[in-house]
Amino acid sequence: MRIQPFLKALPIVLIAALAIYSMKNSSAQKVEMPVDNPDIPANLKEYEVVENSIHDGDTLRVRSPELGTVLKIRFACIDAPELKQPLGEESRNYLRSLIKRGDNKVKVQPITVDRYGRTVAQLWNNGGLLNSQMAGAGMAYGYEQYKKDCPNYPAIESMQSQAKSESLGVWKLPGGGEKPWDYRKSKK
């Protein structure tokens, strides 16, 4: 079918547009992505995770194998503990282990660009949606403030609920620990 090549190229075009917008505009820009296709991960381009670029449990950099361009990615839908918070380093190390299990490759579905110029995205590897894997291990919180922008927030919410019921990760801390967004506000 003639539309199939267009659909395969669409993520590449959108990522390139996001990179240009992130350089030109510091305010968040909404990018509409097709979310009614259950095979989105299969249709997304694969990126290499840049070595030593996983700073914390929800931020990393990826490189396009074809173009060599590097994008700084902020995970959509989740917020991981900051490094100085309890389980902050564990969250980062858990993400590193997930990336390593996926041979340092991820598929990226851009959602928006944040005010810092980072591409906010959902990421997949051979283990599935990384955003929900982080929540399911209790290594990140579902970011309810931004759930309307997250096509797969129900999966993240479900995995978080399971982690909470099993007292995994942050959910073993009293009260589920201090949420990263509250921690950042307290440090301003």
Coordinates of all heavy atoms in Angstrom, one line a residue, residues 89-157:
E89 N 19.8 6.7 43.3 CA 20.9 6.0 42.5 C 20.4 4.6 42.1 O 20.7 4.2 41.0 CB 22.1 5.9 43.4 CG 22.8 7.2 43.6 CD 24.1 7.1 44.4 OE1 24.7 6.0 44.5 OE2 24.6 8.1 45.0
E90 N 19.6 4.0 42.9 CA 19.0 2.7 42.6 C 18.1 2.8 41.3 O 18.1 1.9 40.5 CB 18.2 2.1 43.7 CG 19.1 1.7 44.9 CD 19.4 2.8 45.9 OE1 19.2 4.0 45.6 OE2 19.8 2.5 47.0
S91 N 17.4 3.9 41.3 CA 16.5 4.1 40.1 C 17.3 4.3 38.8 O 17.1 3.6 37.8 CB 15.6 5.4 40.3 OG 14.9 5.6 39.2
R92 N 18.4 5.1 38.9 CA 19.3 5.3 37.8 C 19.9 3.9 37.4 O 19.9 3.6 36.2 CB 20.4 6.3 38.1 CG 21.4 6.4 37.0 CD 22.7 7.0 37.4 NE 23.3 6.1 38.4 CZ 24.2 6.6 39.3 NH1 24.6 7.8 39.3 NH2 24.7 5.8 40.2
N93 N 20.4 3.2 38.4 CA 21.0 1.9 38.1 C 20.1 0.9 37.5 O 20.4 0.1 36.6 CB 21.7 1.3 39.3 CG 22.9 2.2 39.7 OD1 23.4 3.0 39.0 ND2 23.3 2.1 41.0
Y94 N 18.8 0.9 37.9 CA 17.8 0.0 37.4 C 17.6 0.3 35.9 O 17.5 -0.6 35.1 CB 16.5 0.1 38.2 CG 15.5 -1.0 37.7 CD1 15.7 -2.3 38.1 CD2 14.4 -0.6 37.0 CE1 14.8 -3.3 37.6 CE2 13.5 -1.6 36.6 CZ 13.7 -2.9 36.9 OH 12.8 -3.9 36.5
L95 N 17.4 1.6 35.6 CA 17.3 2.0 34.2 C 18.5 1.6 33.4 O 18.3 1.1 32.3 CB 17.1 3.5 34.1 CG 16.9 4.1 32.6 CD1 15.8 3.4 31.9 CD2 16.8 5.6 32.6
R96 N 19.7 1.7 33.9 CA 20.9 1.3 33.2 C 20.8 -0.2 32.9 O 21.1 -0.7 31.8 CB 22.1 1.6 34.0 CG 22.5 3.0 34.0 CD 23.7 3.3 34.9 NE 24.1 4.7 34.8 CZ 25.0 5.2 35.6 NH1 25.7 4.5 36.5 NH2 25.3 6.5 35.4
S97 N 20.3 -1.0 33.9 CA 20.2 -2.5 33.7 C 19.1 -2.8 32.6 O 19.3 -3.7 31.8 CB 19.8 -3.2 35.0 OG 18.5 -3.0 35.4
L98 N 18.0 -2.0 32.6 CA 17.0 -2.3 31.5 C 17.6 -2.0 30.1 O 17.3 -2.7 29.2 CB 15.8 -1.4 31.8 CG 14.9 -1.7 33.0 CD1 13.8 -0.7 33.1 CD2 14.3 -3.1 32.9
I99 N 18.3 -0.9 30.1 CA 18.9 -0.5 28.8 C 19.9 -1.5 28.3 O 20.0 -1.9 27.2 CB 19.6 0.9 28.9 CG1 18.5 2.0 29.2 CG2 20.4 1.3 27.6 CD1 17.4 2.2 28.1
K100 N 20.7 -2.0 29.3 CA 21.7 -3.0 29.0 C 21.1 -4.3 28.5 O 21.5 -4.9 27.5 CB 22.6 -3.3 30.2 CG 23.7 -4.2 29.9 CD 24.6 -4.4 31.1 CE 25.8 -5.3 30.8 NZ 26.7 -5.5 32.0
R101 N 20.0 -4.7 29.1 CA 19.2 -5.9 28.7 C 18.7 -5.7 27.2 O 18.5 -6.7 26.5 CB 18.1 -6.2 29.6 CG 18.5 -7.0 30.8 CD 17.3 -7.4 31.6 NE 17.3 -6.7 32.9 CZ 16.3 -6.4 33.6 NH1 15.1 -6.8 33.3 NH2 16.5 -5.7 34.8
G102 N 18.4 -4.5 26.8 CA 18.0 -4.2 25.5 C 19.1 -3.9 24.5 O 18.9 -3.3 23.5
D103 N 20.3 -4.3 24.8 CA 21.5 -4.1 24.0 C 21.7 -2.6 23.7 O 22.2 -2.3 22.6 CB 21.4 -4.9 22.7 CG 21.4 -6.4 22.9 OD1 22.1 -6.9 23.8 OD2 20.7 -7.1 22.2
N104 N 21.4 -1.8 24.7 CA 21.6 -0.3 24.5 C 20.9 0.3 23.4 O 21.3 1.3 22.8 CB 23.1 0.0 24.5 CG 23.8 -0.3 25.8 OD1 23.3 -0.2 26.9 ND2 25.0 -0.9 25.7
K105 N 19.8 -0.3 23.0 CA 18.9 0.2 21.9 C 17.5 0.5 22.5 O 17.0 -0.3 23.3 CB 18.9 -0.8 20.8 CG 20.3 -1.1 20.3 CD 20.3 -1.1 18.8 CE 21.6 -1.6 18.2 NZ 22.7 -0.8 18.4
V106 N 16.9 1.5 22.0 CA 15.5 1.9 22.4 C 14.8 2.4 21.1 O 15.4 2.9 20.2 CB 15.4 2.9 23.5 CG1 16.0 2.4 24.8 CG2 16.1 4.2 23.1
K107 N 13.5 2.2 21.2 CA 12.6 2.9 20.2 C 11.9 4.0 20.9 O 11.5 3.9 22.0 CB 11.6 1.9 19.7 CG 12.3 0.8 18.8 CD 11.3 -0.1 18.1 CE 12.1 -1.0 17.2 NZ 11.2 -1.6 16.2
V108 N 11.9 5.2 20.2 CA 11.4 6.4 20.8 C 10.1 6.9 20.1 O 10.1 7.0 18.9 CB 12.5 7.5 20.6 CG1 12.1 8.8 21.2 CG2 13.8 7.0 21.3
Q109 N 9.1 7.2 21.0 CA 7.9 7.9 20.5 C 7.9 9.2 21.2 O 7.5 9.4 22.3 CB 6.7 7.1 20.9 CG 5.4 7.8 20.4 CD 4.1 7.1 21.0 OE1 4.2 6.3 21.9 NE2 3.0 7.5 20.4
P110 N 8.2 10.3 20.4 CA 8.2 11.6 21.0 C 6.8 12.1 21.3 O 5.9 11.8 20.6 CB 8.8 12.5 19.9 CG 9.4 11.6 18.9 CD 8.7 10.3 19.0
I111 N 6.6 12.8 22.4 CA 5.3 13.3 22.8 C 5.3 14.8 22.7 O 4.5 15.4 22.2 CB 5.0 12.9 24.3 CG1 5.0 11.4 24.5 CG2 3.6 13.5 24.7 CD1 4.0 10.6 23.7
T112 N 6.4 15.4 23.2 CA 6.5 16.9 23.3 C 8.0 17.2 23.5 O 8.9 16.4 23.6 CB 5.6 17.5 24.4 OG1 5.6 18.9 24.2 CG2 6.1 17.1 25.8
V113 N 8.3 18.5 23.5 CA 9.6 19.0 23.9 C 9.4 19.9 25.1 O 8.5 20.8 25.1 CB 10.3 19.8 22.7 CG1 11.6 20.5 23.2 CG2 10.5 18.9 21.5
D114 N 10.2 19.7 26.2 CA 10.0 20.5 27.4 C 10.7 21.8 27.3 O 11.4 22.1 26.4 CB 10.3 19.6 28.6 CG 11.8 19.4 28.8 OD1 12.6 20.0 28.1 OD2 12.1 18.6 29.7
R115 N 10.6 22.6 28.4 CA 11.2 23.9 28.4 C 12.7 23.9 28.4 O 13.3 24.9 28.2 CB 10.6 24.7 29.6 CG 11.0 24.1 30.9 CD 10.4 24.9 32.1 NE 10.7 24.3 33.3 CZ 10.1 24.5 34.4 NH1 9.0 25.2 34.4 NH2 10.5 23.9 35.5
Y116 N 13.3 22.8 28.7 CA 14.7 22.6 28.7 C 15.3 22.1 27.4 O 16.4 21.8 27.2 CB 15.2 21.7 29.8 CG 14.7 22.1 31.2 CD1 13.7 21.4 31.9 CD2 15.2 23.3 31.8 CE1 13.3 21.9 33.1 CE2 14.8 23.7 33.0 CZ 13.8 23.0 33.7 OH 13.3 23.4 34.9
G117 N 14.4 21.9 26.4 CA 14.7 21.4 25.1 C 14.9 19.9 25.0 O 15.3 19.4 24.0
R118 N 14.4 19.2 26.0 CA 14.5 17.7 26.0 C 13.3 17.2 25.3 O 12.2 17.7 25.4 CB 14.6 17.2 27.4 CG 15.8 17.6 28.2 CD 15.7 17.1 29.6 NE 14.5 17.7 30.3 CZ 14.3 17.5 31.6 NH1 15.1 16.9 32.4 NH2 13.2 18.0 32.2
T119 N 13.5 16.1 24.5 CA 12.4 15.4 23.9 C 11.7 14.6 25.0 O 12.4 13.7 25.6 CB 12.9 14.5 22.8 OG1 13.5 15.4 21.8 CG2 11.7 13.8 22.1
V120 N 10.5 14.8 25.3 CA 9.7 14.0 26.2 C 9.1 12.9 25.4 O 8.4 13.1 24.4 CB 8.6 14.9 26.9 CG1 7.8 14.0 27.9 CG2 9.3 16.1 27.7
A121 N 9.4 11.6 25.9 CA 9.0 10.5 25.0 C 8.7 9.3 25.8 O 9.1 9.1 27.0 CB 10.2 10.2 24.0
Q122 N 8.0 8.4 25.1 CA 7.8 7.0 25.6 C 8.9 6.2 24.9 O 9.2 6.4 23.7 CB 6.4 6.5 25.2 CG 5.3 7.2 25.9 CD 4.0 6.6 25.7 OE1 3.3 6.3 26.6 NE2 3.6 6.4 24.5
L123 N 9.5 5.3 25.6 CA 10.6 4.5 25.1 C 10.3 3.0 25.3 O 9.8 2.6 26.3 CB 11.9 4.8 25.8 CG 12.5 6.1 25.4 CD1 12.0 7.2 26.3 CD2 14.0 6.1 25.5
W124 N 10.7 2.2 24.2 CA 10.5 0.8 24.3 C 11.9 0.1 24.0 O 12.7 0.7 23.3 CB 9.6 0.3 23.2 CG 8.2 0.5 23.4 CD1 7.3 -0.4 23.9 CD2 7.4 1.7 23.1 NE1 6.0 0.1 24.0 CE2 6.0 1.4 23.5 CE3 7.7 2.9 22.6 CZ2 5.0 2.3 23.4 CZ3 6.7 3.8 22.5 CH2 5.4 3.5 22.9
N125 N 12.1 -1.1 24.6 CA 13.1 -2.0 24.1 C 12.5 -3.4 24.1 O 11.3 -3.5 24.1 CB 14.4 -1.9 25.0 CG 14.2 -2.5 26.4 OD1 13.1 -3.0 26.8 ND2 15.2 -2.3 27.2
N126 N 13.4 -4.4 24.0 CA 12.9 -5.7 23.8 C 12.1 -6.2 25.0 O 11.4 -7.3 24.9 CB 14.0 -6.7 23.4 CG 15.1 -6.7 24.4 OD1 15.0 -6.1 25.5 ND2 16.2 -7.4 24.1
G127 N 12.1 -5.5 26.1 CA 11.3 -5.9 27.3 C 10.0 -5.2 27.4 O 9.2 -5.4 28.3
G128 N 9.7 -4.3 26.4 CA 8.5 -3.5 26.4 C 8.7 -2.0 26.7 O 9.7 -1.5 26.5
L129 N 7.6 -1.4 27.2 CA 7.6 0.0 27.5 C 8.4 0.3 28.7 O 8.1 -0.1 29.8 CB 6.1 0.5 27.7 CG 5.9 2.0 28.0 CD1 6.4 2.8 26.8 CD2 4.5 2.2 28.3
L130 N 9.5 1.0 28.5 CA 10.5 1.3 29.6 C 9.8 2.1 30.7 O 10.1 1.9 31.9 CB 11.7 1.9 29.1 CG 12.7 1.0 28.3 CD1 13.7 1.9 27.6 CD2 13.3 0.0 29.2
N131 N 9.0 3.1 30.3 CA 8.3 3.9 31.3 C 7.5 3.1 32.3 O 7.6 3.3 33.5 CB 7.4 4.9 30.5 CG 8.0 5.6 29.4 OD1 8.6 5.0 28.5 ND2 7.9 6.9 29.4
S132 N 6.8 2.1 31.8 CA 6.0 1.3 32.7 C 6.8 0.3 33.5 O 6.5 -0.1 34.6 CB 4.8 0.6 32.0 OG 5.3 -0.4 31.0
Q133 N 7.9 -0.2 32.9 CA 8.9 -1.0 33.6 C 9.5 -0.3 34.8 O 9.6 -0.9 35.9 CB 10.0 -1.5 32.7 CG 9.5 -2.5 31.6 CD 10.6 -2.9 30.7 OE1 11.6 -3.5 31.1 NE2 10.5 -2.6 29.4
M134 N 9.8 0.9 34.6 CA 10.3 1.7 35.8 C 9.3 1.9 36.9 O 9.6 1.7 38.0 CB 10.8 3.1 35.3 CG 12.1 3.1 34.4 SD 13.5 2.5 35.3 CE 13.8 3.8 36.4
A135 N 8.1 2.2 36.5 CA 7.0 2.3 37.5 C 6.7 0.9 38.1 O 6.4 0.9 39.3 CB 5.7 2.9 36.8
G136 N 6.7 -0.1 37.3 CA 6.4 -1.5 37.9 C 7.4 -2.0 38.8 O 7.1 -2.9 39.7
A137 N 8.7 -1.5 38.8 CA 9.7 -1.9 39.7 C 9.7 -0.9 40.9 O 10.6 -1.1 41.8 CB 11.1 -1.9 39.0
G138 N 8.9 0.1 40.9 CA 8.9 1.0 42.0 C 10.1 2.0 41.9 O 10.5 2.6 42.9
M139 N 10.6 2.1 40.7 CA 11.8 3.0 40.5 C 11.4 4.3 39.9 O 12.3 5.2 39.7 CB 12.8 2.3 39.6 CG 13.5 1.1 40.3 SD 14.4 1.6 41.8 CE 14.3 0.2 42.8
A140 N 10.1 4.6 39.8 CA 9.6 5.9 39.3 C 8.2 5.9 39.7 O 7.5 4.9 39.9 CB 9.8 6.0 37.8
Y141 N 7.7 7.2 39.7 CA 6.3 7.4 40.0 C 5.6 7.8 38.7 O 6.1 8.4 37.9 CB 6.1 8.6 41.0 CG 6.8 8.5 42.3 CD1 8.1 8.9 42.5 CD2 6.1 7.9 43.4 CE1 8.7 8.7 43.8 CE2 6.7 7.8 44.6 CZ 8.0 8.2 44.8 OH 8.6 8.1 46.1
G142 N 4.3 7.4 38.6 CA 3.5 7.9 37.5 C 3.3 9.4 37.7 O 3.1 9.8 38.8
Y143 N 3.5 10.1 36.6 CA 3.5 11.6 36.7 C 2.1 12.1 36.3 O 1.8 12.4 35.2 CB 4.6 12.2 35.8 CG 5.2 13.5 36.2 CD1 6.4 13.9 35.7 CD2 4.6 14.3 37.2 CE1 7.0 15.1 36.1 CE2 5.2 15.5 37.6 CZ 6.4 15.8 37.0 OH 7.0 17.0 37.4
E144 N 1.2 12.0 37.3 CA -0.2 12.3 37.1 C -0.4 13.7 36.5 O -1.4 13.9 35.7 CB -1.0 12.2 38.4 CG -2.0 11.1 38.2 CD -2.9 11.0 39.5 OE1 -2.5 10.3 40.4 OE2 -4.0 11.7 39.5
Q145 N 0.4 14.7 36.8 CA 0.2 16.0 36.3 C 0.2 16.0 34.7 O -0.4 16.9 34.1 CB 1.3 16.9 36.8 CG 1.2 18.3 36.3 CD 2.3 19.2 36.9 OE1 3.0 18.8 37.8 NE2 2.5 20.4 36.4
Y146 N 1.0 15.1 34.1 CA 1.1 15.1 32.7 C 0.4 13.8 32.0 O 0.7 13.5 30.9 CB 2.6 15.1 32.3 CG 3.3 16.4 32.8 CD1 4.1 16.4 33.9 CD2 3.0 17.6 32.1 CE1 4.7 17.6 34.3 CE2 3.6 18.7 32.5 CZ 4.4 18.7 33.7 OH 5.0 19.9 34.1
K147 N -0.4 13.2 32.8 CA -1.0 11.9 32.2 C -1.8 12.2 31.0 O -1.9 11.3 30.1 CB -1.8 11.2 33.3 CG -3.1 11.8 33.7 CD -3.8 10.9 34.7 CE -5.1 11.5 35.1 NZ -5.7 10.7 36.1
K148 N -2.4 13.3 30.8 CA -3.2 13.6 29.6 C -2.4 13.6 28.3 O -2.9 13.3 27.2 CB -4.0 14.9 29.7 CG -3.1 16.1 29.7 CD -3.9 17.4 29.8 CE -3.1 18.7 29.8 NZ -1.8 18.7 30.3
D149 N -1.1 13.8 28.5 CA -0.2 13.7 27.3 C 0.4 12.3 27.1 O 1.3 12.2 26.2 CB 1.0 14.7 27.5 CG 0.5 16.2 27.6 OD1 -0.5 16.5 26.9 OD2 1.2 17.0 28.3
C150 N 0.0 11.4 27.9 CA 0.7 10.0 27.8 C -0.3 9.0 27.3 O -1.2 8.5 28.0 CB 1.1 9.6 29.2 SG 2.4 10.7 29.9
P151 N -0.1 8.6 26.0 CA -0.9 7.6 25.4 C -1.0 6.3 26.2 O -2.0 5.6 26.2 CB -0.3 7.3 24.1 CG 0.5 8.5 23.8 CD 1.0 9.0 25.1
N152 N 0.1 5.9 26.9 CA 0.1 4.6 27.7 C 0.1 4.8 29.2 O 0.5 4.0 29.9 CB 1.3 3.8 27.3 CG 1.2 3.3 25.9 OD1 0.3 2.6 25.6 ND2 2.1 3.7 25.0
Y153 N -0.5 5.9 29.6 CA -0.6 6.2 31.1 C -1.3 5.1 31.8 O -0.9 4.7 32.9 CB -1.1 7.5 31.4 CG -0.9 7.9 32.9 CD1 0.4 8.3 33.3 CD2 -1.8 7.7 33.9 CE1 0.7 8.6 34.6 CE2 -1.6 8.0 35.2 CZ -0.3 8.4 35.5 OH 0.0 8.7 36.9
P154 N -2.4 4.5 31.3 CA -3.0 3.4 32.0 C -2.1 2.2 32.3 O -2.2 1.6 33.4 CB -4.2 3.0 31.1 CG -4.5 4.2 30.3 CD -3.2 4.9 30.1
A155 N -1.2 1.9 31.4 CA -0.2 0.8 31.7 C 0.7 1.2 32.8 O 1.0 0.4 33.7 CB 0.6 0.5 30.4
I156 N 1.1 2.5 32.8 CA 2.0 2.9 33.9 C 1.3 2.9 35.2 O 1.9 2.5 36.2 CB 2.6 4.3 33.5 CG1 3.5 4.2 32.3 CG2 3.2 5.0 34.7 CD1 3.8 5.5 31.6
E157 N 0.1 3.4 35.2 CA -0.7 3.4 36.4 C -0.9 2.0 37.0 O -0.8 1.8 38.1 CB -2.0 4.1 36.1 CG -2.8 4.6 37.3 CD -4.0 5.5 36.8 OE1 -4.6 5.2 35.8 OE2 -4.2 6.5 37.5

